[in-house]
Structure formats: C-alpha cells, structure tokens
Amino acid sequence: MKLYVDGIGLFAPGLHGWADLAAILRGERRYEGGELPAFDHAVLPATERRRAGKSIKLAVDLAGQAVRAAGIDPTEPAIVFASTTGDTEVLTDICAALATEDRMISPMRFHNSVHNAASGYWTIAVGSRQPANAIALHERTAAAGLLEAAVQVVAEGIPVLLAVYDIPFPPPLNAAEPIATVFGASLLLRPEPTTHTLAELTIERTKEDGGAADTMHDPELETLRRGVPAARILPLLQALAGDSGTTVTLDYLAGQCVRIAVMPVRTAAHNNPNNQANQTPEAQP
C-alpha cells in the first residue's frame, strides 16, 4: 500500500507537537521527559470540554495538530482512533462502582467509557460526517491502527486522520495493565501527494522472517516505546524525521509484522518542521 503523510501530531511528557520530537529525533537535543503539557482541546464546545475525560482530550488534541499541520479541512478526512484501553480513568471508576453494594454507575461515566467516545467528541466538534473507526489490539494497537488507516486511504482513495494514544490506569488496575505514561501521535494520511506532503509510505503486512521490531537508539525514548503501547509507533516517527529513505518494522500479530518503507518528500513543510507544525489550516476545526 502506498500513501502519503501530510501532517503529524505528538503529545508526550515534555513534548507538545511534532517540531519538539523531530528536533530530538534529528539529534539536535536529548529527550529528557518532563511534565505533561496542557491539552489543547479548545475545539470542543464548552459543555463537551467539561464532560470529556483525559483520553478524549488527548485524542482531540492530537487530531487537531495533524489536521492543522496538513492544512486540511477537518471535516474532510475519515478517522481512525487507536487506543489500547481507551479512557482508563473512567473504566477504573466504573469498575470501582460495580464493586460497591448499590452498583450505581454514572450515565456520563458510561457514555465516556465506550471505545469510540473520543471519535464521537471529535466528529461532533468539527461537524464531520466521514467514517470514524475506533480500534484496539493491546500492545500492537499502533500497528493495527496504521494498517486500518492505510487500507482506507488506498481502498477508498480518501484522506484519513489516524490518532494513536494511551493514558495510564490509576491504581489498582495499573498493577494489572501497566502503562508508563501519557503518549499519543497522529498522522494525516492521503492517497496522493500535496504541497504539504512530508513523506511517502509503502506499507506491507508480512511474516516476521526473523526480523524483530525496530527499537529506539535513545535510551529514554526506548523506555517510552516499551512502556506505552501507543509509543510503539516511535520508530516510524524517527524515520519521518530523517532526510533519507529507510524501512522500519513495527510488531504486529504473532508471526507477523508491519513493514514501512519511508521516503521523504521535499517540501517547504518538511524542511521546516516549526512552520509545518504551525501552518494555518484551510478551515479551522
């Protein structure tokens, strides 16, 4: 499958936006982690901002970053939101409520617990009527989300917004399903190149044939990759930050992997990621 990357979003401890991570991946500075940045979820109406949980705010932030960077009307792309466990804080609250005598669950908590809640908030906020999928495949969620988005781009010939994200479980469920921290990345994928295109991707699902998934050379980024399922997408982001073609491998189902050939496309956006991350969208969400 051949497709193109027009916009990238990023959220991680100490990082907010593709320009922050790209500078690290190009070796211009070291990743040192840090505090979580504030979510940019201003696109949500005031009522929805109050109702939205952390996972939804993260997904909306990532979606907004990618569409702004790509200069695309946010109502145009189809949507694939990929998260290992969705809103872990809401799920923990519901499990705690079910463990009480009255077993009463807040309707709003239940509303936000469904796996496609984030895509619902986003499509309502921007007025999108495009297809929206929510997907999960445990530690292979990043690869599964990328495959799902790529198939839609190629089969339907439409742009697709992919957001991959995870937040940790609070205690006590964090002991059963440890997720190290908050992390998310987003890609705006297109079937044809545009003036915003950063790279061409050729994606195939293949047998592992002895080749393990790529890792990160930076120990801090490798700790992030191993500690958060969504961060398994980091090797692809590292390839996108480079200035030469390369191939990366993401782990997938047992005996299979997802192999991605990345070829940079020279545009003004690629040459200056600061500008790329702050381009004015054709239509604001």
Side-chain angles (χ1 to χ4, degrees), residues 249-275:
T249 301
L250 304 183
D251 46 10
Y252 190 50
L253 300 174
Q256 300 179 44
C257 64
V258 175
R259 194 158 293 148
I260 309 137
V262 181
M263 181 60 65
V265 174
R266 287 297 162 197
T267 65
H270 185 279
N271 290 331
N272 190 340
N274 287 298
N275 289 343

Side-chain angles (χ1 to χ4, degrees), residues 42-221:
V43 66
L44 294 174
T47 302
E48 305 307 320
R49 282 201 298 273
R50 289 194 297 272
R51 292 175 175 172
K54 183 184 293 184
S55 179
I56 292 167
K57 294 174 182 174
L58 172 60
V60 167
D61 184 328
L62 292 166
Q65 287 187 47
V67 298
R68 286 193 297 273
I72 189 173
D73 186 323
T75 64
E76 188 179 343
I79 299 146
V80 175
F81 278 5
S83 176
T84 307
T85 46
D87 200 317
T88 53
E89 295 183 352
V90 172
L91 293 173
T92 300
D93 287 347
I94 289 177
C95 288
L98 289 174
T100 63
E101 262 190 41
D102 61 18
R103 299 165 64 88
M104 296 294 289
I105 298 174
S106 157
M108 183 53 62
R109 285 303 207 192
F110 179 76
H111 169 82
N112 283 345
S113 72
V114 296
H115 203 64
N116 63 351
S119 61
Y121 275 80
W122 170 256
T123 53
I124 291 170
V126 302
S128 173
R129 295 179 178 272
Q130 300 299 331
N133 286 350
I135 192 167
L137 190 62
H138 201 221
E139 293 183 344
R140 275 59 173 170
T141 295
L146 179 63
L147 275 180
E148 173 67 21
V151 167
Q152 288 193 46
V153 170
V154 173
E156 304 295 334
I158 57 174
V160 175
L161 168 62
L162 168 67
V164 183
Y165 55 96
D166 281 312
I167 65 173
F169 274 102
L173 295 184
N174 62 333
E177 185 64 28
I179 297 174
T181 187
V182 176
F183 179 89
S186 55
L187 301 174
L188 194 290
L189 304 169
R190 280 189 179 271
E192 302 291 341
T194 73
T195 56
H196 293 275
T197 296
L198 302 169
E200 174 190 286
L201 306 183
T202 303
I203 302 175
E204 62 173 344
R205 187 185 65 176
T206 184
K207 294 182 180 178
E208 283 185 331
D209 62 16
D214 281 294
T215 59
M216 304 299 291
H217 298 302
D218 183 308
E220 295 296 327
L221 289 177

